[in-house]
Amino acid sequence: MSRTAADGLVVVDKPAGFTSHDVVAVLRGIARTRRVGHAGTLDPMATGVLVVGIGRATRLLGHLALTEKEYEGTIRLGRTTVTDDAEGEITGGSGARDVPRTALDAEVARLTGDIMQVPAKVSAVKIDGKRSYHRVRAGEDVEIPARPVTVRSFTVRETRERHADDGTPVLDVDVTVVCSSGTYIRALARDLGAALGTGGHLTALRRTRVGPYELAVAHPLEELRETLTVLPLGEAAAAAFPRWDVDERQAALLGNGARITTPALPAGPVAVFGPEDRFIALIEAAGERSRSLAVFG
């Protein structure tokens, strides 16, 4: 397609070493518009699915960011770091020897379900209006309150006995995690290591899914520089949210932001489509009437 601004989503396979903002900057240049944003930050170390909105699709991003996510990662037991991942300085840990698989599975199970999690200190969480990572880098000792998250599944795929660069024995644990928005996989690694008495941190992370968007439909940046592949706005909304089809009269009302009577709708955002498959709005049910979240029609 031609390199001009378009309304829709781009599913990117983010490379390691790029911030999410870096990816947005690249897409702004490719699409020739500044109206570009992303749904759900990935750390520079992490790779995988980053959903980017262009044009009017940026209005979907806040709602897409709240959808379920899936990750594959590696947790190293036996070492702790200041960032809870491999990018930070080592802060402790005397190694991991002979960790029983039964103990590992038991602690993984305790970190599954609805849990209270303290985010990593070096994170974008705001404390009194300032990012936690800014405070940590300025030498402050920050305390972040625990918050509820849902770890739908936390699966150990494989374990490998290794030695760190200084010869300390460690255990690398390959995991798959399906979780709610706001869950820190780095914090799961930290808490798993703490529970086992070994310390732990994340050494690799790849996001394999955001809502309905999987790696199979993600495009590397180099590929997007050659051909900008955009999922049209209506298709993106239909894939990500429950759908409600309305007639021309209802479409006109909803397109003007009016509140109308709704049938029984699922909780959360619902994509409304009018005649000829025209995407009209994103709404949610408020009692028996609609409430507009974003109007497109």
Side-chain angles (χ1 to χ4, degrees), residues 105-127:
D105 289 341
E107 297 305 333
V108 164
R110 289 189 180 96
L111 290 169
T112 304
D114 295 326
I115 64 173
M116 296 297 291
Q117 183 184 72
V118 177
K121 289 187 177 182
V122 181
S123 68
V125 173
K126 285 188 175 181
I127 302 173

Side-chain angles (χ1 to χ4, degrees), residues 87-107:
E87 295 193 319
E89 295 179 4
I90 293 173
T91 56
S94 57
R97 292 181 182 272
D98 303 320
V99 177
R101 179 60 188 258
T102 52
L104 175 61
D105 289 341
E107 297 305 333

Side-chain angles (χ1 to χ4, degrees), residues 198-265:
T198 62
H201 68 280
L202 194 68
T203 61
L205 186 65
R206 185 157 175 76
R207 188 154 67 191
T208 55
R209 179 170 63 84
V210 174
Y213 305 111
E214 301 181 338
L215 272 174
V217 298
H219 303 275
L221 280 180
E222 290 307 312
E223 180 181 308
L224 292 167
R225 285 188 172 101
E226 296 298 323
T227 304
L228 179 58
T229 303
V230 179
L231 184 65
L233 187 59
E235 290 183 29
F241 304 105
R243 176 178 176 133
W244 177 28
D245 287 278
V246 299
D247 60 29
E248 192 65 60
R249 183 187 67 83
Q250 292 170 311
L253 290 169
L254 290 168
N256 286 319
R259 301 184 64 178
I260 68 172
T261 302
T262 68
L265 295 174

Side-chain angles (χ1 to χ4, degrees), residues 81-86 88 119-122 186-187 189-190 200-203:
T81 73
V82 68
T83 57
D84 299 327
D85 65 18
K121 289 187 177 182
V122 181
R186 287 184 284 151
R190 176 201 66 205
H201 68 280
L202 194 68
T203 61

Side-chain angles (χ1 to χ4, degrees), residues 38-244:
H38 66 82
T41 300
L42 271 179
D43 292 333
M45 183 188 83
T47 66
V49 176
L50 182 69
V51 178
V52 177
I54 297 177
R56 292 189 301 160
T58 55
R59 300 169 69 190
L60 295 178
L61 296 177
H63 305 287
L64 282 169
L66 301 178
T67 58
E68 186 177 80
K69 299 172 177 66
E70 182 172 348
Y71 298 86
E72 292 182 354
T74 300
I75 295 169
R76 172 158 288 187
L77 298 177
R79 280 283 189 258
T80 60
T81 73
V82 68
T83 57
D84 299 327
D85 65 18
E87 295 193 319
E89 295 179 4
I90 293 173
T91 56
S94 57
R97 292 181 182 272
D98 303 320
V99 177
R101 179 60 188 258
T102 52
L104 175 61
D105 289 341
E107 297 305 333
V108 164
R110 289 189 180 96
L111 290 169
T112 304
D114 295 326
I115 64 173
M116 296 297 291
Q117 183 184 72
V118 177
K121 289 187 177 182
V122 181
S123 68
V125 173
K126 285 188 175 181
I127 302 173
D128 296 330
K130 189 175 181 181
R131 301 289 185 188
S132 178
Y133 62 80
H134 286 314
R135 293 185 176 275
V136 170
R137 289 167 184 166
E140 294 185 41
D141 184 16
V142 302
E143 292 295 330
I144 304 177
R147 57 186 184 179
V149 298
T150 299
V151 179
R152 199 166 306 282
S153 67
F154 188 178
T155 306
V156 175
R157 301 196 315 274
E158 184 181 355
T159 62
R160 299 182 304 283
E161 294 182 352
R162 292 284 189 267
H163 287 85
D165 291 343
D166 63 358
T168 302
V170 294
L171 184 68
D172 285 347
V173 183
D174 294 336
V175 299
T176 299
V177 179
V178 179
C179 57
S180 65
S181 175
T183 304
Y184 280 82
I185 311 302
R186 287 184 284 151
L188 288 179
R190 176 201 66 205
D191 293 346
L192 179 62
L196 290 166
T198 62
H201 68 280
L202 194 68
T203 61
L205 186 65
R206 185 157 175 76
R207 188 154 67 191
T208 55
R209 179 170 63 84
V210 174
Y213 305 111
E214 301 181 338
L215 272 174
V217 298
H219 303 275
L221 280 180
E222 290 307 312
E223 180 181 308
L224 292 167
R225 285 188 172 101
E226 296 298 323
T227 304
L228 179 58
T229 303
V230 179
L231 184 65
L233 187 59
E235 290 183 29
F241 304 105
R243 176 178 176 133
W244 177 28

